[in-house]
Amino acid sequence: MSDSPSAAAEIMDGVYSALRAHGYADLTMQDIADECSKSKSLLHYHYDTKEDLLVAFLDYVVTDSEERIAARADDPPVDRLVQFVGWFVFAPDEADREAFHIALLELRTQGPFNERIREQLARSDRLLRGTVADILADGIEEGVFRDVDVEETAALLVATLDGARTRQITLAGAEPGDEGDGYTREVAEAALRRIVGPLLADGVELPPLDDAIDELRRDSNDSENESQEADEPADDPE
């Protein structure tokens, strides 16, 4: 394996696929090798242990999130906040996303016992809360949000959305009516009404949540297509 970005991305894609298929507890280096078409010995050449590879994967995921957030930094604050809320929404029939977040939840349980994993989880948490705080600060400066404690409000919104995602992946279908559009959707709409709505200055309206979710999915699909194209061999010039 070369150290090229595409080769590294292929391994990270393999970790992603393997986590969805096997979860964290049962995941092996061979599972990852099978998913990314690399040999197990080659993976061990770059990563001594499964833990090393998973820590690298967490770093990759957080870095990717940082880049996606930075790419939207010039969007209007209200749009960015609705997009952030939409980020946490997934329907009950999105099995791949659910499986991945279940695996991440397993990884999160290692935080109290593994310093390196805990550092990446803390970094992710700082990114989420910091993103909301920055959006609110920008919106206050532009006059579209009322003056509030941005850190406190960011902590409340992130905890609400993250808690909804955890409930959906662990208790889906446990109660009548849970199957519908999904608990994350229900909580996202409530968060927009009860947390974000009261922040809006007079005359400012929220864009539709569906539009934000559709845009996020288009961006995700475009990113996946670009990744696949980068891994394909170039056409023979002859």
Side-chain angles (χ1 to χ4, degrees):
M1 184 193 75
S2 70
D3 289 327
S4 68
S6 60
E10 184 180 354
I11 292 177
M12 294 300 108
D13 287 344
V15 177
Y16 175 73
S17 297
L19 280 170
R20 287 185 303 172
H22 304 282
Y24 166 76
D26 296 327
L27 186 68
T28 67
M29 290 290 271
Q30 186 61 58
D31 293 329
I32 297 170
D34 292 341
E35 292 290 343
C36 64
S37 301
K38 305 294 184 185
S39 69
K40 179 179 175 182
S41 59
L42 191 146
L43 290 183
H44 276 296
Y45 176 78
H46 290 276
Y47 305 97
D48 289 338
T49 66
K50 182 180 79 170
E51 178 188 316
D52 292 331
L53 181 49
L54 289 175
V55 170
F57 175 72
L58 288 175
D59 174 75
Y60 178 82
V61 169
V62 177
T63 299
D64 180 69
S65 297
E66 290 172 341
E67 293 172 353
R68 289 172 183 265
I69 289 167
R72 295 183 175 276
D74 293 331
D75 290 354
V78 175
D79 291 355
R80 288 157 58 199
L81 193 53
V82 175
Q83 288 164 0
F84 181 89
V85 173
W87 200 357
F88 288 80
V89 175
F90 64 96
D93 61 356
E94 294 184 82
D96 283 348
R97 287 189 68 188
E98 179 177 294
F100 177 62
H101 283 295
I102 289 173
L104 283 184
L105 185 60
E106 291 183 272
L107 260 175
R108 289 173 68 172
T109 64
Q110 303 306 304
F113 316 106
N114 187 305
E115 182 177 358
R116 292 196 298 162
I117 290 177
R118 183 167 65 251
E119 287 174 354
Q120 292 299 327
L121 295 175
R123 179 182 162 207
S124 175
D125 183 65
R126 288 193 299 269
L127 174 63
L128 295 176
R129 289 186 290 108
T131 296
V132 176
D134 289 344
I135 293 171
L136 293 175
D138 289 346
I140 292 170
E141 183 176 351
E142 293 183 18
V144 296
F145 292 139
R146 303 181 189 279
D147 192 4
V148 296
D149 185 323
V150 298
E151 299 292 343
E152 181 181 82
T153 306
L156 173 62
L157 185 59
V158 170
T160 299
L161 298 170
D162 189 50
R165 183 167 58 189
T166 299
R167 183 190 184 280
Q168 180 163 317
I169 64 177
T170 56
L171 297 175
E175 298 177 6
D178 275 355
E179 296 80 2
D181 290 334
Y183 190 69
T184 52
R185 175 59 183 255
E186 178 183 334
V187 172
E189 291 175 343
L192 290 174
R193 289 195 310 271
R194 297 180 177 275
I195 299 177
V196 177
L199 302 177
L200 300 178
D202 291 340
V204 178
E205 296 183 357
L206 291 174
L209 178 60
D210 282 334
D211 289 354
I213 293 173
D214 289 343
E215 186 172 355
L216 289 168
R217 287 176 177 167
R218 283 195 300 270
D219 287 351
S220 178
N221 290 335
D222 289 344
S223 178
E224 289 178 4
N225 291 336
E226 289 174 2
S227 176
Q228 291 173 359
E229 291 173 0
D231 291 336
E232 292 176 356
D235 292 337
D236 188 335
E238 297 180 358

